[in-house]
Amino acid sequence: EDAKIAASSLGIALTKRGKANGLDIPMCGVPVHSSQTYLSRLIKSGFKVAIAEQLEESEKDLKKNKKIFKRDVVRIITPGTILEESLLESKNHNNLLSLNFKKGDISLAWIDMTNGEIKLQRVKGVNILQDLQEVIHKVEPGEIIVSEDLKNSELLRSKLKIFEKNISIIPNSFYDLKNNEIKIRTFFKRSKLESLGDFTEVDISTIGALLNYLELTQKKNIPNIKGLEIVNQDNFMQIDMFSEKSLELFQSYDGQRKGSLIHIIDNTKTASGARLLRDFLKSPLLQKDKIKERHDLIESFISKTEPLKNIIKLLTGLPDVERTMSRISAKTNNPKDLILICNFIATSEEIFSEIEKSKDKILLKLFPQNYLLRNMMNVKKLIEKKINESPPIHLSEGGVIKSDVSKKLDDLRNIRKKGKNQILALQEKYIFETKVNNLKIKFNNIHGYFIEVSIKNSPKLNESERISFNPIQNTLNSSRFQTDELKPISLEIENSEM
């Protein structure tokens, strides 16, 4: 059924593979190299996508030379749990929101998985449902999770209607109070819940449901979550939906970003800076001392023209380190992210140098503590020493670690290099001996390295007197062979690449 839905939604061919109970089994697929494009279209259409991968085999399994490999779902991508850069808007947060309601109190907990901090806000009072709608609108969730009971509640159905396309229903058990208290303490490694904040029962259920959903979708690879913040709305000016629309803060009257206030003032040079500016506009400060602190920083930067110009230049093109760090902590296994971190630290070092040169007391408050600087430099040196400057996108492709880092790795690489040279030499030798110019030595996961010729030329190998070619498989157009010379070289290369 999934094949039928995907083929229709993506506009790709629906084929078939085998039969079940006498009926054709529908199938569809896309090339691996363009999977991100199709994944993006599925997510934007509101689907959740399960990612299944071949799991690593144990040494015991490998010795059995199994032909059927173990596979399992390693992650479920939903609209609120996207980590892939290509699927996200760089200037907007992508929040996953958990919502719970009990005895006149509503709690909302949300997280942008790409910056790793859970926020909690409570809604209560006379205008509770209107205030709830306002908070959801301000959070702009990519996905809202609610319990089966809450979804069916007449009390909330009317107010949640405008967010219906973002809602995912999860089991009531995800909100279980007792289990969630343990869940939160375990997750944040705290012996007492009070050390994180003063939580109500509704808060605990809401935060716990969020963590349960992350575990369900991300399995064991949840990005690093730095902390938990209780949002106090009294610290910020409350701008309702009507005012936001009338003032055209984020969209003009025709629904476009162009022409809005954010479009006019957003001259930020980094994606994280753009998201921060959007947060500032959404929740303007009310505390006079914090407003003054921002103004003093701006005044100091403006008065130091040369450092400001240099910093702006350095910020241009700076990697989105928040999202890079979340991908690394979620073990997405993209070695290029390590190089982005290295580049970020190198540029940050230059920016700190400009701040230091300014000798401005107010700007120097932005300077990190010495131990943080030392840690950053150590991380940079470690990456520079051990990781190749242009690694592949996937860890499994190899070529990530530099030479001279590990003698064992260098030895294995030498085995592979030497073995592949031996295979090329064998191919030339076999062509010369058999006079079959289209003879090729190929590789697959079942036979390892093997010799392949066309069906027409296979008798020449079968009749060879100098070399014993052992037949292993015939396909429609070709014959495959193995030799006593090739087999041990093949095994040596395969073992070195595992």
Side-chain angles (χ1 to χ4, degrees):
E1 293 305 312
D2 283 348
K4 291 178 183 177
I5 294 166
S8 173
S9 300
L10 297 172
I12 58 177
L14 181 68
T15 59
K16 56 187 177 182
R17 175 69 60 87
K19 289 181 180 286
N21 300 321
L23 298 174
D24 291 330
I25 300 171
M27 182 179 175
C28 72
V30 298
V32 168
H33 62 81
S34 58
S35 59
Q36 288 288 307
T37 304
Y38 292 101
L39 182 58
S40 174
R41 286 164 61 183
L42 288 170
I43 294 297
K44 284 176 181 174
S45 299
F47 292 107
K48 298 175 178 68
V49 182
I51 306 294
E53 289 182 0
Q54 182 176 305
L55 304 179
E56 288 185 9
E57 298 292 305
S58 67
E59 286 186 23
K60 186 180 176 183
D61 289 337
L62 288 168
K63 284 175 184 174
K64 291 179 183 176
N65 196 22
K66 289 170 63 176
K67 294 181 181 179
I68 296 175
F69 295 97
K70 199 183 295 178
R71 292 178 174 86
D72 201 356
V73 173
V74 295
R75 184 178 163 214
I76 302 168
I77 302 177
T78 72
T81 59
I82 301 169
L83 287 171
E84 288 72 10
E85 194 71 38
S86 59
L87 307 183
L88 292 165
E89 289 184 40
S90 62
K91 294 190 173 188
N92 288 357
H93 288 293
N94 186 53
N95 289 313
L96 170 69
L97 174 70
S98 171
L99 175 63
N100 196 22
F101 173 89
K102 188 178 181 182
K103 295 178 182 177
D105 287 347
I106 296 177
S107 287
L108 303 96
W110 64 93
I111 184 172
D112 179 345
M113 287 216 330
T114 63
N115 69 15
E117 184 175 46
I118 294 175
K119 295 189 176 184
L120 173 81
Q121 187 166 342
R122 300 161 184 140
V123 181
K124 56 178 67 177
V126 180
N127 300 315
I128 188 168
L129 293 182
Q130 183 59 41
D131 290 344
L132 167 66
Q133 199 175 50
E134 294 286 354
V135 174
I136 297 175
H137 176 76
K138 186 168 285 189
V139 172
E140 295 181 293
E143 183 178 9
I144 304 169
I145 55 172
V146 300
S147 67
E148 294 150 339
D149 288 349
L150 192 61
K151 170 64 175 168
N152 297 324
S153 165
E154 286 293 335
L155 190 62
L156 292 177
R157 188 177 291 174
S158 58
K159 292 298 178 185
L160 291 177
K161 188 74 177 173
I162 60 172
F163 306 107
E164 197 165 30
K165 65 182 180 64
N166 302 98
I167 290 176
S168 294
I169 310 299
I170 60 175
N172 290 330
S173 59
F174 276 36
Y175 287 86
D176 181 73
L177 177 64
K178 187 178 178 181
N179 288 335
N180 283 344
E181 187 172 340
I182 298 167
K183 170 81 65 181
I184 296 166
R185 282 197 288 105
T186 305
F187 190 87
F188 288 102
K189 299 180 174 64
R190 302 295 177 93
S191 57
K192 292 185 177 180
L193 204 57
E194 291 77 18
S195 63
L196 285 167
D198 184 16
F199 300 119
T200 66
E201 290 185 1
V202 188
D203 295 339
I204 294 166
S205 298
T206 308
I207 297 164
L210 191 67
L211 295 176
N212 283 321
Y213 192 69
L214 290 178
E215 286 182 354
L216 172 72
T217 56
Q218 308 307 298
K219 308 301 178 186
K220 294 179 181 177
N221 296 326
I222 299 174
N224 185 36
I225 295 176
K226 299 188 288 283
L228 205 165
E229 178 194 348
I230 300 174
V231 177
N232 184 354
Q233 63 178 16
D234 293 337
N235 292 335
F236 306 101
M237 182 187 294
Q238 301 305 306
I239 304 173
D240 60 50
M241 288 186 286
F242 178 78
S243 300
E244 182 189 299
K245 190 174 180 180
S246 300
L247 293 168
E248 299 181 280
L249 296 184
F250 306 108
Q251 290 183 346
S252 58
Y253 279 122
D254 60 1
Q256 301 298 312
R257 189 177 190 272
K258 189 175 180 181
S260 66
L261 176 62
I262 191 101
H263 176 257
I264 301 299
I265 69 169
D266 185 1
N267 291 311
T268 53
K269 300 299 178 186
T270 67
S272 53
R275 294 194 294 270
L276 187 62
L277 178 64
R278 189 178 177 88
D279 288 343
F280 285 174
L281 270 184
K282 271 187 180 184
S283 304
L285 292 173
L286 288 178
Q287 295 159 297
K288 190 176 178 180
D289 57 335
K290 290 190 178 293
I291 295 170
K292 186 178 182 302
E293 187 181 341
R294 275 188 196 169
H295 287 179
D296 289 343
L297 279 166
I298 293 165
E299 185 178 28
S300 292
F301 269 119
I302 290 171
S303 66
K304 303 288 186 296
T305 311
E306 199 58 35
L308 179 60
K309 281 182 182 176
N310 293 337
I311 288 170
I312 288 172
K313 198 181 292 183
L314 288 165
L315 284 171
T316 305
L318 196 68
D320 191 341
V321 73
E322 280 187 333
R323 291 184 170 176
T324 304
M325 288 295 290
S326 69
R327 290 195 299 272
I328 290 171
S329 66
K331 301 179 180 65
T332 55
N333 294 338
N334 181 350
K336 285 188 180 294
D337 282 335
L338 291 175
I339 302 302
L340 290 180
I341 293 291
C342 194
N343 294 342
F344 176 86
I345 294 172
T347 306
S348 299
E349 197 175 4
E350 293 183 68
I351 291 171
F352 297 146
S353 177
E354 289 293 333
I355 291 173
E356 196 170 29
K357 280 191 289 186
S358 74
K359 295 179 179 174
D360 185 295
K361 288 182 180 178
I362 292 172
L363 292 183
L364 285 171
K365 290 178 183 177
L366 297 171
F367 212 79
Q369 290 174 294
N370 287 333
Y371 83 94
L372 287 173
L373 277 175
R374 282 197 304 273
N375 289 346
M376 284 172 60
M377 294 310 116
N378 289 338
V379 168
K380 177 173 167 280
K381 286 174 186 174
L382 187 67
I383 294 171
E384 286 174 338
K385 182 181 176 182
K386 300 198 172 186
I387 306 297
N388 280 316
E389 290 176 11
S390 298
I393 294 175
H394 300 291
L395 193 61
S396 58
E397 292 177 40
V400 176
I401 309 295
K402 284 183 175 180
S403 299
D404 300 323
V405 170
S406 162
K407 185 181 182 302
K408 186 177 179 182
L409 178 61
D410 290 343
D411 290 344
L412 291 170
R413 282 176 174 165
N414 289 333
I415 289 170
R416 184 176 65 177
K417 186 178 179 181
K418 178 186 168 187
K420 289 188 176 178
N421 287 337
Q422 287 177 306
I423 281 174
L424 287 173
L426 278 181
Q427 183 172 290
E428 289 178 15
K429 174 185 171 181
Y430 293 158
I431 289 171
F432 177 78
E433 293 288 348
T434 62
K435 304 295 185 284
V436 178
N437 291 328
N438 70 355
L439 180 149
K440 292 276 188 288
I441 294 182
K442 296 184 174 181
F443 176 85
N444 67 27
N445 288 328
I446 296 171
H447 300 116
Y449 286 91
F450 58 88
I451 301 139
E452 185 175 274
V453 295
S454 62
I455 292 285
K456 183 178 73 173
N457 286 318
S458 63
K460 292 183 180 179
L461 274 67
N462 287 321
E463 294 162 8
S464 173
E465 293 181 1
R466 292 172 62 86
I467 301 167
S468 178
F469 291 97
N470 306 311
I472 54 173
Q473 187 183 34
N474 283 333
T475 66
L476 189 64
N477 300 310
S478 63
S479 293
R480 293 171 176 175
F481 297 83
Q482 188 56 267
T483 69
D484 292 340
E485 276 180 301
L486 179 59
K487 187 66 179 175
I489 298 170
S490 175
L491 287 171
E492 194 173 34
I493 295 171
E494 286 178 70
N495 289 333
S496 73
E497 288 181 339
M498 281 175 187

